[in-house]
Amino acid sequence: KKQLGLDDAAVAKTSTVADEILARLANPLGTNITTRGLVLGHVQSGKTTSFLSVAAKALDSHYDLVIILSGVHNSLRRQTQVRAARTLVHNPGLWWLGTALNDFRPDGNALSSHLAGNGKRGLLVVKKRSDILKKLADWLERESDSSLE
């Protein structure tokens, strides 16, 4: 909380709202999960804090993969990636595909190989650009349902 610059009341409210949002998501241990979300708000209204809180709680609640779609510009994606790394870096077993400087690029390994092992979780911060989203969709579609169980 000190890292985010929030007081105790703001942390409590953010946590409560994140719990309420998470309660609306599909059970991560179920089959055919297609849950999506959208965060809307004014500039400097706490959107990033909100979706990162939901992402942290989702990862803690056994969701294996969280994908955050960022702005379309390198600077916006980089800003989101850096903030996500700073906020979620303490989550054990968390892996990233992409860095503050580079967008999502498949690394030749299947998603299931990244998630292999107890407690492994993935977080991707991806620009909302058609070419990058196509790479991501193709990479995810290469996984069979059985390899994701």
Side-chain angles (χ1 to χ4, degrees):
K1 93 185 145 178
K2 188 178 270 191
Q3 190 176 20
L4 296 175
L6 302 175
D7 62 29
D8 290 342
V11 170
K13 179 65 175 172
T14 301
S15 180
T16 298
V17 170
D19 287 339
E20 291 170 358
I21 293 168
L22 198 61
R24 295 175 183 216
L25 302 180
N27 180 346
L29 304 176
T31 58
N32 197 17
I33 300 170
T34 60
T35 302
R36 294 170 184 85
L38 175 65
V39 178
L40 297 172
H42 296 286
V43 172
Q44 298 297 313
S45 64
K47 296 179 298 295
T48 305
T49 298
S50 177
F51 69 70
L52 289 177
S53 297
V54 172
K57 287 180 180 256
L59 292 166
D60 289 345
S61 298
H62 305 290
Y63 283 87
D64 291 332
L65 180 63
V66 172
I67 301 170
I68 296 172
L69 300 179
S70 69
V72 297
H73 301 289
N74 287 330
S75 61
L76 294 174
R77 193 208 53 82
R78 183 174 30 254
Q79 179 182 13
T80 302
Q81 176 86 20
V82 167
R83 183 125 178 238
R86 188 176 65 225
T87 303
L88 301 173
V89 73
H90 304 293
N91 193 313
L94 187 64
W95 59 264
W96 303 80
L97 257 106
T99 67
L101 299 177
N102 295 309
D103 235 319
F104 168 79
R105 284 187 216 154
D107 64 358
N109 295 311
L111 174 60
S112 56
S113 70
H114 287 289
L115 299 177
N118 191 20
K120 292 273 186 137
R121 304 282 183 258
L123 180 70
L124 303 175
V125 178
V126 181
K127 277 194 304 218
K128 291 179 282 192
R129 284 194 29 193
S130 61
D131 56 329
I132 295 165
L133 293 173
K134 172 87 169 98
K135 281 187 228 174
L136 175 61
D138 290 347
W139 182 67
L140 292 171
E141 286 176 7
R142 282 194 291 271
E143 291 292 318
S144 69
D145 289 342
S146 63
S147 69
L148 294 175
E149 292 178 357

